Amino acid sequence: MLARDLVDANTGGALERAEQALHRVWGYSAFRSHQAGIVEALIGGQDVLALMPTGGGKSLCYQVPSLVRPGTGVVVSPLIALMQDQVDALRLLGVRANFLNSTQSLPEQREIEKALLDGALDLLYVAPERLMTERLLELLHGSQIALVALDEAHCVSQWGHDFRPEYRKLSILAERFPHVPRIALTATADARTRQEIVEQLGLGKAAQFVASFDRPNIRYMIPDSGSAGARDRLWRFIRDEHEGEAGIIYCLRRRDVEEVAEFFAAKGRTCLPYHAGLDAAMRRQNQQRFLREEGVIVAATIAFGMGIDKPDVRFVAHLNLPKSVEAYYQETGRAGRDGEPANAWMTYSLSDVTTYRQWITDGQAGEQQKRIEMQKLDGLVGLCEVTSCRREVLLGYFGERFNGPCGACDNCLDPPITVDRTEAARKALSAIYRTGERFGVGYLIQVLQGKDETRIVQNGHDKLAVYGIGKDVPEPEWRRVFRQLAARGAIFADVENHGSIKLTEICRPLLRGEANFAMRADKPAAKKERKKRDVAPKVKPEDAELWEALRTLRSRLAAESDVPPYVVFHDRSIVDLVAKRPRNTAELAEVTGFGSVRIERLGEAVLTVIAAH
Ligand code: ADP
Ligand code: ZN
């Protein structure tokens, strides 16, 4: 059965035909916000610029119109590694999809080119440099083109994070194919990038769709306890919330990645390292296992993730700070692309902040750029220390207004207690001042606590009035005071002077006794017994067996067709299958993700498993 034949050409409006494709081919019940408008505009021949967050459902925006319009939809994507999975997934739905790239043999390429000319392709994925070859442009002229989709369109922007010069050349498409509608898509929202996309790709007349960048299914958690025991805390979190589920743990350094991978492996989880120091074969293998096996955790430096489209990543954890709010949003955004609940968990310490400052200062960038990077870092520290809704601050950073409480961040779920630490803050500031702004946090705490270290005595700091005035406050609490003073910008670690702590203007009112200092209280780890879950969170105990049986079936089918499990069907489909327990193909058609072709292929196997439970 061909997906295209499931769309009835005689059905009235563009949107109706698009909805037919959505139901019958993809097995989904309705378009998400913006998808309908985008699809309708494209089918009507209009150019579109679509800004949607990761997981927002960008692919359907051009895949559906490619089936509804006559001809082939041409998709330009820089992510060659992803093409295979996308094409596999589409084929399982009966869509005639293929890609052209350098991994294919020449005869293979010729065959695909012929299919294009014969009108036997619904979708063709190509890399930008390939599209710009005269050969392919000529072929396209000889074929019927339904639309051109420019995925990851921010690559055209020099301000963005992944500038690709070949994207600039894509502007000639408007001249060479003036009657083919184009859609540019990106998950990068800032105004500057958007402007550049419009200018560089000649999309001045395009209909613009800007979705909210909120990711409502992601729960944000930044437990505030410094770095001590961070791995153990993360382990407890993963054990309690993510048994058997896939996730990513980001670390700053390769050494940490290796240690974390070993640590979690020792706890009985499959946890694989990924960083630039591993050879390419090992990296590829670990990435492949992450995609193909269920429940794999990857411990990685930030090098991991770009171009990974796995929809069922259930958590993203940071054991170190990312370098900006943008990076945090992007990295956490890799969780829960399928819309199912997911967690973003992060812990951080002042030494992360100091390390970054050092890197920025030592870096090759100009003064202006360094200042921007410092500000970005401060923005992130601010997000960590805020006591109000994190989602509000996160989206506010991108200029989007969100009125909390969101009910799905740690601050909303468990509002932090603030305590008055004016006295401690003042003592900390005078310790910095009295010792000449020349020492790091560790030393300052020793002075405050009145430790008789040789260094302190040699420096004569045991004679200072601040010596020993902080005996009553334990060391971790002092660290928190310093960290939060840094977060407010009252002090900073001067990386040009070995991280010695310096005062800023902001601390003056506090030192003079004109301002108070309230900060998050470090709550003792919640003693409340968490309900331990044996299987994924969405499953009731009585459904656990069926859930596992369906996962097993999915793994087997995936192995048979050599595709990742999520290509066979998504977690959301399993949730729906377990809830509805369909008994026949008609009932199966009501389950999300089960369109006609999928039912034809997998229906019997799925129904048999359900009947057995
Ligand atoms: P993006 O490319 O924007 O990150 P995708 O196109 O990969 O997002 O879509 C994310 C997930 O949402 C996919 O699993 C996709 O099948 C699903 N999805 C998209 N649109 C819908 C819809 N209208 N109904 C149900 N699921 C959808
Ligand atoms: Zn919130």
Side-chain angles (χ1 to χ4, degrees), residues 137-445:
L137 288 171
E138 279 308 313
L139 276 167
L140 292 177
H141 271 292
S143 326
Q144 187 165 27
I145 305 303
L147 56 88
V148 177
L150 308 167
D151 206 1
E152 314 287 346
H154 59 274
C155 291
V156 82
S157 160
Q158 262 171 323
W159 297 101
H161 32 89
D162 345 278
F163 175 55
R164 312 258 305 212
E166 57 290 5
Y167 255 71
R168 295 250 156 142
K169 305 201 184 102
L170 294 170
S171 58
I172 67 160
L173 290 173
E175 297 151 31
R176 307 260 313 230
F177 304 93
H179 303 298
V180 175
R182 293 173 301 143
I183 173 171
L185 309 106
T186 177
T188 303
D190 67 276
R192 175 142 214 178
T193 308
R194 189 194 319 181
Q195 190 53 34
E196 236 183 319
I197 294 173
V198 168
E199 281 166 15
Q200 291 293 331
L201 297 177
L203 289 169
K205 295 206 185 77
Q208 293 198 11
F209 295 85
V210 185
S212 163
F213 273 71
D214 183 25
R215 302 285 311 277
N217 60 316
I218 298 183
R219 181 160 56 134
Y220 296 100
M221 275 168 296
I222 311 181
D224 169 40
S225 306
S227 57
R231 278 176 207 169
D232 285 309
R233 280 183 289 122
L234 177 58
W235 161 241
R236 284 194 293 276
F237 173 73
I238 291 176
R239 181 195 61 197
D240 292 346
E241 306 246 349
H242 294 291
E243 188 161 321
E245 295 183 324
I248 306 173
I249 303 172
Y250 284 113
C251 308
L252 201 53
R253 296 173 197 82
R254 294 172 188 182
R255 182 168 38 90
D256 293 334
V257 164
E258 298 285 351
E259 286 176 16
V260 165
E262 277 169 30
F263 176 84
F264 280 90
K267 299 285 188 192
R269 290 296 303 258
T270 307
C271 188
L272 310 171
Y274 190 101
H275 58 71
L278 296 170
D279 66 60
M282 177 64 92
R283 283 208 306 265
R284 206 173 322 113
Q285 187 191 334
N286 288 351
Q287 173 169 331
Q288 200 65 2
R289 288 188 63 189
F290 180 66
L291 297 177
R292 298 278 159 124
E293 293 172 27
E294 302 258 19
V296 173
I297 301 173
V298 162
T301 50
I302 41 160
F304 182 77
M306 167 73 180
I308 294 217
D309 226 348
K310 188 174 163 63
D312 55 354
V313 176
R314 293 271 70 89
F315 68 89
V316 168
H318 284 93
L319 282 171
N320 300 102
L321 272 190
K323 65 179 191 308
S324 63
V325 178
E326 288 95 331
Y328 174 74
Y329 179 82
Q330 214 189 5
E331 285 155 25
T332 57
R334 293 175 184 140
R337 291 179 73 129
D338 55 8
E340 293 293 299
N343 281 313
W345 187 99
M346 174 161 78
T347 187
Y348 80 105
S349 68
L350 190 56
S351 71
D352 289 344
V353 182
T354 315
T355 304
Y356 273 123
R357 286 195 193 282
Q358 186 85 56
W359 286 0
I360 296 169
T361 310
D362 295 349
Q364 300 299 314
E367 281 313 307
Q368 166 87 4
Q369 187 62 27
K370 286 183 179 177
R371 241 191 328 274
I372 292 173
E373 284 178 35
M374 289 287 188
Q375 280 168 7
K376 288 188 168 187
L377 183 57
D378 291 342
L380 185 63
V381 176
L383 175 68
C384 294
E385 296 292 348
V386 55
T387 51
S388 57
C389 175
R390 301 219 194 259
R391 199 175 303 268
E392 202 172 282
V393 177
L394 185 59
L395 292 172
Y397 189 86
F398 298 112
E400 187 176 329
R401 216 191 151 95
F402 179 92
N403 287 321
C406 72
C409 73
D410 51 355
N411 287 350
C412 287
L413 290 167
D414 194 7
I417 302 166
T418 53
V419 284
D420 186 83
R421 284 280 179 272
T422 310
E423 202 188 312
R426 228 171 263 154
K427 285 177 181 171
L429 294 174
S430 41
I432 299 167
Y433 181 68
R434 297 286 167 202
T435 54
E437 302 180 62
R438 289 188 295 121
F439 297 90
V441 171
Y443 182 91
L444 292 165
I445 294 175

Side-chain angles (χ1 to χ4, degrees), residues 72-90:
T72 307
V74 177
V75 186
V76 184
S77 165
L79 308 171
I80 293 184
L82 287 185
M83 290 180 185
Q84 182 74 57
D85 278 356
Q86 277 162 346
V87 164
D88 285 343
L90 286 164

Side-chain angles (χ1 to χ4, degrees), residues 22 26-33 35 52-63 86 151-152 185 187 215 309 311 336-339 570 572 592-593:
L22 186 72
W26 278 270
Y28 295 150
S29 55
F31 281 117
R32 292 191 185 145
S33 69
Q35 281 179 330
M52 290 164 98
T54 303
K58 285 186 283 300
S59 334
L60 279 181
C61 293
Y62 53 82
Q63 289 170 348
Q86 277 162 346
D151 206 1
E152 314 287 346
L185 309 106
R215 302 285 311 277
D309 226 348
R337 291 179 73 129
D338 55 8
H570 281 179
R572 174 164 283 186
T592 186

